[in-house]
Amino acid sequence: MEFFEDCTNVCTIAQMEIPLNPEQKRAVEAPKDRPLLIVAGAGTGKTRTLTERVVFLLENGVPGKSICAITFTNKASKEMKERIARREKGGDCFVGTFHGLGAMILRHEAHRVGRNAS
């Protein structure tokens, strides 16, 4: 028990600011005039890299409505939204899952096939 009582001031890894590795930095700072696809394995920093990319684009004058950041999981999507909101006003950028993007498009375009948005 003593050990755990003495650890109250220790930061978790999630709270520490770890620098981007060279590949992540290259992705974040890639030319802003074209789409970017980030493909990597579990635990490699995809969510952080994509978040940094969105912040980089917003800070460099790209309008939020021109940004679409898509991930596979709701957890990663929520984390990205929170991180972007803490660093920069995300404005109109879409941050979500493939499923969420598809649902949004279907709701928006439902009238074209005689359906309502719900």
Side-chain angles (χ1 to χ4, degrees):
M1 276 307 224
E2 260 181 57
F3 174 78
F4 292 108
E5 290 169 6
D6 292 339
C7 292
T8 54
N9 293 324
V10 177
C11 291
T12 64
I13 291 175
Q15 294 170 325
M16 296 186 325
E17 187 63 34
I18 299 169
L20 296 170
N21 67 38
E23 292 82 12
Q24 291 169 324
K25 188 172 172 59
R26 194 173 77 218
V28 168
E29 297 174 350
K32 60 183 184 175
D33 62 344
R34 62 188 91 152
L36 177 68
L37 174 65
I38 298 173
V39 180
T44 57
K46 292 179 299 297
T47 300
R48 178 157 183 250
T49 303
L50 191 51
T51 301
E52 293 294 326
R53 173 68 175 175
V54 170
V55 171
F56 174 82
L57 293 172
L58 292 168
E59 288 176 345
N60 284 280
V62 175
K65 66 182 180 179
S66 298
I67 299 172
C68 180
I70 305 171
T71 186
F72 282 103
T73 67
N74 287 321
K75 179 183 174 188
S77 171
K78 181 181 177 198
E79 195 172 311
M80 286 171 50
K81 288 175 189 176
E82 290 170 355
R83 289 180 187 178
I84 292 166
R86 281 195 307 263
R87 302 262 316 275
E88 181 76 31
K89 293 179 180 164
D92 296 332
C93 64
F94 176 84
V95 177
T97 63
F98 283 99
H99 179 268
L101 177 62
M104 182 183 73
I105 292 168
L106 287 172
R107 281 191 304 275
H108 187 267
E109 300 297 328
H111 69 280
R112 294 182 187 268
V113 292
R115 299 287 205 183
N116 62 32
S118 60

